[in-house]
């Protein structure tokens, strides 16, 4: 294959940059940085996209569509909402444009983050760490603490993060059920359909949401679905904030129906200091960081280079989403 | 076997009490409660011990030694320090007294508690939950967050808790090394001897302490061993507080050498509000609750009944320690 032009809009530096430079040689690698603090998804048509064969990062969907030459869009996150539109999917299909995401790079960190949430909740970690030696309080904390073993977890959405979570949970010995919109039949756990969801929600504690953000999943966690959950259940979200009706979630926490909510994703992000989510009882928020880990830029570079080799060889790409 | 007299000093109630009553029938079950708030280990000779064949709970070591009839002491915790003396061991051996602990009942909760500590540390959970929307702080938190996968964990002490932790860690894909004073050769992980410990401490992060409390383990975590640890390493203790030189631990945290200490066990317990451990940086304390879980009295009853059946049949008992 003749030399390819790779356009990257990610702020690589240090060892990860060197890795990327070495691995893409002799192909042409150029950078089109976004201003710091801008949205991760560039909204405008990028003139630098002209002549690029591969776009790596978060280019504007319009730029990719306007460029006739881009053959592979390597999205550098697990989510790919701006590209997940009927127009983009149709154009990609018509043009033979390959789209990959980077869910393998983030899946393990997301699954470990989720497990940190679930164990902090079951072990009553926050009240326990807050105890200052009061013996009556110690007794109460001990009565709250429980084990994940034997509990029934329901996982909504079933991509790489869900799969990695299931791997981590094998020795924990929970009863694991999953729900995905289009079950493929090869899932390693018991799956329920959308029709069976109310029954599954009524039995599960915890309920884990890793749904992607798209037209079908908007406000998937609604007043109705929250009401279907078991009283006292804990709810976790590391998918996308838009999949949850936050007003309904706050109401379910305020009424006492929901036991706890642990959210890594919200609308907006980060949650402002004076936002009502901040004062909602038993609502625990981390700032959209579940996929973060110290070496994730290295991981992104390695993932891209692995796919570049497959792309050049004409093999199926990892994490292909279109 | 003729009717046995079982003397129990644990405050069973509700379903767990019924389970115990049903399961021990037709043998004689009687209770000798300690005053609430007293030490879990009764120090005095208990006159009720006369005539008991089996002692279940935490009877005074003197009571057990003074009673010629007790054939089996079922200690209701994982630790059994008051009985772990040369005098007690000799008398038990001479008399054929069987001693079991309840480590199987506590092992899973302890291992889940440990994992909650390890994940809270690696995911920077406490600073993340404390963030109130400050974007510069969010960036710092994301740079701190890491994954357990690929890290090198050293486990000091190797009983049921260590084994259960190893099970939980299998899919996490850490490099696991263990240290026990008397390796048996059948450990499923790479083991180091006491002589090899300095080298192992220099490489490990995290270091997990599940050593029992006895003459050999007192202040095992000393100034010297803390200095051998990798700078920035996180240390975890859910064994016994007495195995750590707390002055040395506080110094290692204050100097910045140690990255963090997560302690479920301390001297004293609970740690008073004005104790210097409370103001030591990066020192996180839960009030000796790692083994607690909502249904642990049920678990204790089931464990005892399982061993009672084995005892009556003359089979080897579970969790026999003498």
């Amino acid at each position: 294959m003749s030399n390819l032009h790779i356009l990257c809009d990610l702020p690589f530096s240090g060892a990860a940059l060197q890795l990327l430079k070495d691995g893409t040689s002799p192909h042409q690698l150029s950078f089109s940085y976004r201003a710091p603090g801008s949205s991760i998804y560039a909204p405008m048509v990028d003139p630098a996209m002209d002549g690029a064969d591969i776009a790596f990062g978060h280019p504007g969907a319009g730029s990719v569509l306007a460029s006739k030459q881009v053959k592979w869009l390597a999205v550098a996150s697990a989510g790919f909402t701006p590209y997940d539109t009927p127009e983009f999917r149709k154009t990609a299909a018509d043009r033979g444009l390959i789209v990959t995401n980077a869910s393998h790079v983030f899946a393990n960190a997301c699954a470990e983050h989720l497990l940190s949430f679930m164990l902090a909740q079951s072990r009553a970690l926050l009240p326990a760490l807050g105890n200052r030696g009061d013996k009556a309080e110690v007794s109460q904390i001990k009565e709250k603490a429980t084990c994940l073993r034997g509990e029934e977890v329901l996982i909504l959405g079933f991509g790489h993060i869900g799969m990695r979570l299931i791997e981590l949970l094998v020795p924990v010995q929970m009863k694991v059920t999953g729900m995905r919109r289009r079950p493929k039949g090869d899932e390693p756990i018991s799956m329920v359909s959308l029709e069976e969801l109310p029954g599954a929600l009524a039995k599960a504690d915890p309920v884990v949401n890793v749904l992607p953000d798209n037209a079908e999943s908007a406000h998937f966690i609604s007043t109705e679905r929250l009401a279907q959950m078991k009283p006292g259940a804990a709810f976790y979200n590391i998918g996308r904030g838009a999949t949850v009706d936050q007003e309904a979630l706050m109401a379910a926490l305020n009424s006492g129906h929901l036991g706890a909510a642990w959210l890594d994703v919200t609308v907006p992000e980060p949650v402002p200091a004076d936002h009502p989510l901040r004062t909602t009882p038993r609502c625990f928020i981390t700032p959209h960081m579940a996929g973060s880990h110290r070496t994730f830029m290295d991981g992104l570079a390695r993932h891209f280079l692995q796919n570049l080799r497959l792309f050049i060889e004409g093999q199926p790409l990892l994490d292909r989403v279109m």
Side-chain angles (χ1 to χ4, degrees), chain A:
Chain A
M1 190 175 282
S2 63
N3 266 15
L4 296 166
H5 177 193
I6 302 159
L7 180 68
C8 174
D9 63 5
L10 301 168
F12 277 102
S13 64
L17 176 61
Q18 198 56 50
L19 192 67
L20 193 65
K21 281 182 170 172
D22 293 348
T24 52
S25 169
H27 300 285
Q28 187 194 339
L29 175 67
S30 59
F31 286 90
S32 149
Y33 287 141
R34 292 181 315 284
S38 65
S39 160
I40 63 161
Y41 297 109
M44 309 295 290
V45 173
D46 183 352
M49 194 68 75
D50 273 345
D53 302 294
I54 299 170
F56 176 27
H58 302 104
S63 296
V64 180
L65 293 179
S67 155
K68 295 280 177 280
Q69 196 173 324
V70 172
K71 297 172 194 72
W72 167 29
L73 164 62
V75 182
S77 52
F80 56 101
T81 310
Y83 317 105
D84 196 9
T85 62
E87 183 203 1
F88 198 98
R89 284 188 177 272
K90 184 178 182 311
T91 311
D94 291 349
R95 268 177 44 191
L97 170 69
I98 294 170
V99 181
T100 57
N101 70 3
S103 64
H104 265 106
V105 178
F106 299 95
N108 180 63
C110 287
E112 289 196 18
H113 202 77
L114 250 174
L115 192 55
S116 83
F117 277 3
M118 290 164 65
L119 284 166
Q121 170 69 19
S122 66
R123 298 308 305 158
L125 196 59
L126 299 181
L129 292 169
N131 176 266
R132 286 292 171 272
D134 181 285
K135 288 184 186 181
E137 197 196 49
V138 170
S139 297
Q140 287 172 356
I141 292 167
K142 287 185 181 181
E143 278 165 30
K144 267 190 220 162
T146 183
C147 290
L148 292 179
R149 184 162 74 178
E151 300 292 321
E152 208 158 334
V153 57
L154 174 65
I155 303 175
L156 306 174
F158 196 90
H160 293 301
I161 297 168
M163 271 304 296
R164 182 65 183 135
L165 180 65
I166 288 164
E167 286 175 9
L168 293 181
L169 291 181
V170 167
V172 180
Q173 299 171 300
M174 302 183 82
K175 294 166 204 149
V176 185
T177 303
M179 193 285 305
R180 78 192 302 184
R181 286 170 298 165
R182 286 173 281 274
K184 295 183 180 167
D186 60 353
E187 294 85 2
I189 54 164
S190 155
M191 299 294 289
V192 295
S193 65
L194 203 54
E195 292 67 40
E196 296 164 316
L197 188 56
L201 285 172
K203 283 195 298 178
D205 181 13
V207 176
V208 172
N209 178 16
V210 282
L211 288 169
D213 176 19
N214 54 39
E216 290 177 84
S217 67
H219 283 204
F220 188 87
I221 302 299
S222 59
T223 299
E224 189 186 359
R225 291 213 167 94
L226 286 161
Q228 288 162 352
M229 290 181 198
K230 192 168 161 177
F235 171 73
Y236 301 85
N237 190 14
I238 62 153
R240 284 290 180 262
T243 64
V244 174
D245 178 345
Q246 288 182 174
E247 294 296 325
L249 183 74
M250 288 188 278
L253 287 163
N254 281 317
S255 76
H257 175 65
L258 201 62
W262 293 75
L263 313 174
D264 185 58
V265 287
T266 51
V267 179
E269 288 173 357
V271 180
D274 59 354
H275 192 282
L277 271 177
R278 295 272 180 212
T279 47
T280 301
R282 306 179 310 288
C283 185
F284 306 102
I285 304 167
T286 57
H288 198 148
M289 60 176 289
S292 297
H293 52 106
R294 273 180 215 147
T295 57
F296 93 101
M297 291 301 281
D298 284 16
L300 270 181
R302 282 179 217 282
H303 183 265
F304 176 78
L305 293 173
Q306 193 175 0
N307 259 342
L308 179 62
R309 189 178 54 73
L310 296 170
F311 180 78
I312 291 169
E313 291 171 357
Q315 304 275 344
L317 269 58
L318 294 174
D319 292 335
R320 182 168 177 174
V321 293
M322 286 183 215

